[in-house]
Amino acid sequence: MKSVRFITFGCKANQYDTQVLREALVRRGLAEGDRDADLVVVNTCTVTSEAGRKARQVIRRIHRETPHARICVTGCLAESEPEVLRELPGVEWVLGNGEAKRPASFLKSLGYEVDPEELGIPAGITEFAGHTRAFVKIQDGCDKSCAFCIIPKVRGASRSRTVADVCTEVAGLVAAGYVEVVLCGIHIGHWGLDLGLQLADLLGALVRLAPTDPSGTRLPYRLRLSSIEATEVDERVLALMVEHPDRIAPHLHMPMQSGDDAVLARMNRWYTVDEYLAACARIRAVLDRPAFTADILVGFPGEGEAQFANTLATVEAAGFARVHVFPFSARPGTAAAEMRDVVAPSEVRDRRARLSELASELGERYRRSLAGVREMIVLEGFAGLSGRYQRVRLDPEEIDGPPPPSIDVVLEARAKADGSGTELFGRPVARAASAGAASV
Ligand code: SF4
């Protein structure tokens, strides 16, 4: 095999896993190919039935369009539905998660000889192909058992990477030019439990890194927590966010799932609406206009109109900057798949639309509240991402030459030309002298 192409579905942790496998194959001399690739690795997701359907559809299409390509399917769907995938045309390998995704096992499964030394190569990455922000997986697996979620069955119990491993990888990525590193995993609030540590221990080490460029100049970088449960943003994590506003983005993606206590209990979530909102209030009291984003599931079995109304009220009270609304889909093997009181699909569609409408009103309100805020923007051309997870545009005439990888700006909220809402623009300002210095 001379060339490989990767197709990735699902979460940031899966995208990180793809990069690990990509680097393992590139070390073996394979080039990145496109339609002509000899090997296609499809890293799948199984979190919704839609994710599984799309992966199967893509695999069939690859085989139809490039029948010569050898197909390797890995990831969560390969773990949960291996027999279905083995039947698909062109599929030669079905490799699940865990050991199967470690570079040495992966290479061996594909028929490569693996030197004993290679077995010890850490599953780290040195770049993040095709992105300006890099994702670094700090843990895998989950010890909870939410009724709708198949992930603990396909990724196992929580396992943490060491502080040293993560710090080395983050420092290397910053030195390679990545200005933002997103710390991701399956349940990152549980990072460290298996090591006798807490997430704040890792974050504390990461904010103190001092990566430099070849001339010895300190490089600016920002960390972002990809997703953390509201109840796990503890006082130490919050204190680090307050002390290091240049280092840790004031953005917390805190999956809420439902804004109704009875539905949360049926989901086997471990908090009440009041506890969730209390966490938001605690964070808001100490951070300047933090961005709260959330995942919410609509149409969970037993969710009636009254429960859904509670969700709408809770979403409004939380003041989210963005909400990812997911229609419930029963995953075989989960407790929810056995539940009665299934919500009619038309009702699920209607609730999804109503919640999305509220979410976009709240997003609009949040954008307008950011006028005058100073932020570092990670750029791709003349637009980029702020610490508060907002898309920010630049006026090209404000920048001399090609846009840099990041820039400090003051935000302006401007009405869109078509009158459909507000968009954020950044007015460049000089970078604070301390922004690139180590925060020791
Ligand atoms: S916390 Fe719940 S939803 Fe999240 S991965 Fe674990 S079981 Fe799934």
Side-chain angles (χ1 to χ4, degrees):
M1 289 181 287
K2 293 198 181 89
S3 59
V4 58
R5 172 184 172 200
F6 285 89
I7 297 172
T8 309
F9 291 90
C11 62
K12 293 184 175 72
N14 227 29
Q15 294 180 46
Y16 176 89
D17 291 346
T18 291
Q19 182 61 25
V20 170
L21 302 182
R22 175 183 280 120
E23 293 198 16
L25 288 174
V26 168
R27 274 200 298 271
R28 281 303 162 125
L30 269 74
E32 288 260 5
D34 194 12
R35 296 200 156 225
D36 56 343
D38 310 301
L39 169 67
V40 182
V41 179
V42 185
N43 192 4
T44 59
C45 170
T46 188
V47 76
T48 60
S49 45
E50 180 63 8
R53 191 190 63 76
K54 276 192 190 154
R56 290 188 296 273
Q57 193 182 47
V58 161
I59 292 165
R60 284 197 191 91
R61 200 179 60 225
I62 294 166
H63 181 67
R64 210 173 42 243
E65 292 174 357
T66 53
H68 69 277
R70 303 171 77 183
I71 301 173
C72 169
V73 191
T74 184
C76 292
L77 194 67
E79 190 75 41
S80 66
E81 296 182 10
E83 48 309 308
V84 178
L85 296 171
R86 271 190 207 105
E87 296 298 308
L88 294 179
V91 171
E92 198 163 326
W93 300 273
V94 176
L95 310 172
N97 284 323
E99 198 46 35
K101 267 192 183 172
R102 292 183 69 79
S105 320
F106 180 71
L107 289 168
K108 270 207 250 174
S109 305
L110 296 185
Y112 289 93
E113 296 268 320
V114 178
D115 295 337
E117 304 91 76
E118 209 168 357
L119 293 170
I121 290 179
I125 63 171
T126 58
E127 59 163 6
F128 207 71
H131 293 76
T132 50
R133 303 183 303 142
F135 301 162
V136 167
K137 188 168 79 175
I138 62 171
Q139 65 81 239
D140 206 332
C142 179
D143 297 338
K144 294 285 189 186
S145 48
C146 298
F148 52 81
C149 186
I150 192 75
I151 298 304
K153 288 204 174 143
V154 294
R155 284 192 179 257
S158 182
R159 285 111 44 212
S160 310
R161 295 181 64 203
T162 65
V163 173
D165 264 7
V166 177
C167 284
T168 303
E169 192 163 305
V170 170
L173 288 162
V174 175
Y178 293 91
V179 188
E180 180 171 309
V181 175
V182 183
L183 305 177
C184 64
I186 301 302
H187 194 126
I188 70 169
H190 279 183
W191 179 90
L193 293 188
D194 51 333
L195 306 174
L197 296 169
Q198 294 178 336
L199 180 61
D201 296 311
L202 175 62
L203 264 187
L206 287 170
V207 296
R208 288 177 175 79
L209 293 175
T212 55
D213 69 11
S215 71
T217 306
R218 294 249 170 103
L219 293 165
Y221 67 99
R222 171 167 79 200
L223 306 164
R224 186 186 300 274
L225 299 172
S226 68
S227 173
I228 182 166
E229 299 291 347
T231 50
E232 291 162 10
V233 185
D234 63 24
E235 293 309 322
R236 289 182 63 212
V237 168
L238 205 46
L240 285 164
M241 296 182 81
V242 172
E243 279 168 42
H244 302 279
D246 291 337
R247 284 280 178 270
I248 310 176
H251 166 216
L252 290 160
H253 182 79
M254 303 185 294
M256 188 174 93
Q257 309 303 2
S258 170
D260 176 84
D261 283 341
V263 176
L264 285 172
R266 270 172 83 84
M267 287 176 165
N268 204 24
R269 301 288 285 176
W270 52 93
Y271 51 83
T272 62
V273 167
D274 282 351
E275 284 164 347
Y276 187 97
L277 291 177
C280 295
R282 195 164 46 82
I283 298 163
R284 219 174 238 130
V286 293
L287 292 179
D288 177 24
R289 286 166 274 191
F292 295 145
T293 58
D295 300 325
I296 297 178
L297 208 48
V298 290
F300 189 76
E303 181 194 75
E305 186 52 36
Q307 289 77 34
F308 178 66
N310 286 340
T311 290
L312 291 177
T314 309
V315 165
E316 176 122 36
F320 291 118
R322 186 176 300 184
V323 177
H324 299 151
V325 186
F326 295 95
F328 170 74
S329 66
R331 303 303 290 136
T334 62
E338 310 297 321
M339 288 182 181
R340 295 191 190 156
D341 301 326
V342 171
V343 182
S346 60
E347 192 57 42
V348 177
R349 277 196 298 277
D350 177 65
R351 288 180 196 167
R352 183 186 197 180
R354 284 156 68 198
L355 181 53
S356 300
E357 195 181 323
L358 172 61
S360 75
E361 270 173 48
L362 293 175
E364 175 69 19
R365 227 181 274 171
Y366 182 69
R367 272 191 297 285
R368 284 201 298 261
S369 79
L370 295 180
V373 164
R374 185 186 170 122
E375 291 226 44
M376 180 177 88
I377 310 298
V378 178
L379 288 168
E380 271 177 8
F382 288 98
L385 192 71
S386 79
R388 291 173 175 81
Y389 207 55
Q390 299 298 306
R391 184 179 154 79
V392 176
R393 295 175 59 188
L394 296 178
D395 289 318
E397 58 273 19
E398 299 256 29
I399 306 283
D400 288 335
S406 72
I407 190 168
D408 287 3
V409 298
V410 170
L411 299 178
E412 287 177 7
R414 297 187 195 163
K416 285 188 187 167
D418 63 2
S420 65
T422 306
E423 61 187 337
L424 292 171
F425 275 75
R427 191 163 37 77
V429 290
R431 175 155 289 165
S434 63
S439 310
V440 183

